[in-house]
Amino acid sequence: MNTEATTDAELALLRTMMRIRALENAWAEAYLHDEVGGLAPSLSTGQEAVAAGACAALEDGDFVFTTHRGQAAQVARGLDPARIMAELYMRRTGYNKGKSYHVTDVGRGVIGMGGIVPAQVPVAGGVALAHKLRGTGRVSLAFFGDGASNEGAVHETANLAAMWTLPLILLCENNGYCITQPVSDSVKAPTIASRAAGYGLPGVVVDGNDVIAVRDAVAQAVARARAGAGATLIEARTLRLGGHLAHDRQGYRKPEEIATGWERCPIVLLRERLIGAGRLDARRCEEIAADVEREIAAAVEFARASPYPEPREAFEDLWA
């Protein structure tokens, strides 16, 4: 194995996770200081390894389908943070021209979905079917949460994926809570991944705070799909460290649970792993952090300086 290439790949994952957190923190700050309005931000604090690892296992031409908590996948898939931020600020220079924070960039294979849980999953299945019929060799990956795993749309899509041997990765981001409801109350199966047996699919549980483990698990599922063997259900077990929305004070959780969760912050885990292996030092880590902060600060300034869409544009770019 090429040690230098491995180090570069892992440093890129670290940078991606840091970029996700910095962008989302900037969005939350803008909301809490009344710079942006609308629905309060849904942040992926503590869950960055899922999107970063999963997207690192994909190639150009593959598609990802995001949830309302979709900024992490957008960043991990290589979208421009400045244009993402402009969309979050509802500015004309954003990916959706300032009309929706559910960022979509078809060219990069990122399909942002709305607030219907889990509307993105059957759409991902449909695109996987299109890939199969066209013989593209591409795959679809659908992110969804533990709460969404109980929805009929997930079960129906998983069943169809098994029936039709679709190149689909169903990635459940189990962060422990469906808004305020603990997953232990809503899911009585041993794991969410264990449900895969009922569909006739392989089910995999992976440590969602270990970005390398997530990347490798998704890479195996992708290879299986490209080989024509069909779909896989992956459950990435992580922990939401922030609230469901930016202003959520999390009174329904014990403080020690959150404190313990921070000890397994995916950014810290990878950083310590690299330092322990002698592939990263404190100075280089500070340089990466400073680069990320500058990039996101510039993205915020770009968004602030960008114009709002004209009122007449509300009637443009409509599809039915």
Side-chain angles (χ1 to χ4, degrees), residues 112-153:
M113 302 299 289
I116 299 174
V117 179
Q120 72 280 5
V121 178
V123 180
V127 171
L129 176 59
H131 286 314
K132 180 177 180 178
L133 293 175
R134 294 172 178 170
T136 65
R138 302 295 95 195
V139 305
S140 287
L141 186 150
F143 291 94
F144 61 96
D146 47 277
S149 72
N150 292 326
E151 293 285 337

Side-chain angles (χ1 to χ4, degrees), residues 2 26 58 75-76 90 92 105 111 119 121 134 141 147 162 172 179 188 210 225 233 252 264 272 275 306 308 319-320:
N2 186 324
L58 301 176
V75 172
M90 298 166 283
R92 183 66 177 70
D105 183 352
I111 309 298
V121 178
R134 294 172 178 170
L141 186 150
C172 179
I179 306 180
K188 295 304 181 183
D210 183 340
L233 171 60
Y252 48 89
R264 299 205 72 252
E272 291 181 348
I275 290 174
S306 296
Y308 288 101
W319 300 84

Side-chain angles (χ1 to χ4, degrees), residues 118-294:
Q120 72 280 5
V121 178
V123 180
V127 171
L129 176 59
H131 286 314
K132 180 177 180 178
L133 293 175
R134 294 172 178 170
T136 65
R138 302 295 95 195
V139 305
S140 287
L141 186 150
F143 291 94
F144 61 96
D146 47 277
S149 72
N150 292 326
E151 293 285 337
V154 171
H155 302 302
E156 293 162 4
T157 303
N159 194 59
L160 287 171
M163 288 170 57
W164 297 339
T165 321
L166 298 183
L168 176 66
I169 293 89
L170 296 162
L171 181 53
C172 179
E173 196 166 359
N174 181 356
N175 68 12
Y177 286 87
C178 177
I179 306 180
T180 62
Q181 183 183 48
V183 68
S184 58
D185 289 349
S186 62
V187 176
K188 295 304 181 183
T191 64
I192 292 169
S194 68
R195 293 174 171 174
Y199 311 126
L201 298 176
V204 178
V205 177
V206 65
D207 180 355
N209 285 35
D210 183 340
V211 68
I212 307 300
V214 173
R215 182 197 63 190
D216 292 349
V218 173
Q220 290 179 17
V222 167
R224 182 175 184 274
R226 292 202 208 284
T232 302
L233 171 60
I234 299 174
E235 177 186 354
R237 309 196 81 169
T238 182
L239 188 65
R240 193 189 76 205
L241 297 179
H244 175 67
L245 299 174
H247 53 44
D248 176 6
R249 297 184 179 181
Q250 305 193 84
Y252 48 89
R253 299 175 73 180
K254 294 181 180 179
E256 53 267 30
E257 175 193 323
I258 301 172
T260 300
W262 275 106
E263 294 175 3
R264 299 205 72 252
C265 164
I267 294 174
V268 173
L269 289 180
L270 181 57
R271 184 176 67 212
E272 291 181 348
R273 176 175 176 169
L274 290 169
I275 290 174
R279 301 205 296 269
L280 179 67
D281 57 31
R283 179 179 177 181
R284 179 60 180 142
C285 190
E286 290 172 2
E287 289 174 350
I288 293 171
D291 285 346
V292 168
E293 290 299 327
R294 282 192 292 269

Side-chain angles (χ1 to χ4, degrees), residues 67-87:
T67 68
H68 65 287
R69 201 184 302 274
Q71 285 67 46
Q74 296 158 18
V75 172
R77 198 70 177 118
L79 269 60
D80 181 0
R83 291 189 64 195
I84 296 173
M85 191 63 73
E87 190 61 46

Side-chain angles (χ1 to χ4, degrees), residues 51-69:
C55 291
L58 301 176
E59 298 176 358
D60 290 345
D62 295 329
F63 276 74
V64 299
F65 296 78
T66 69
T67 68
H68 65 287
R69 201 184 302 274

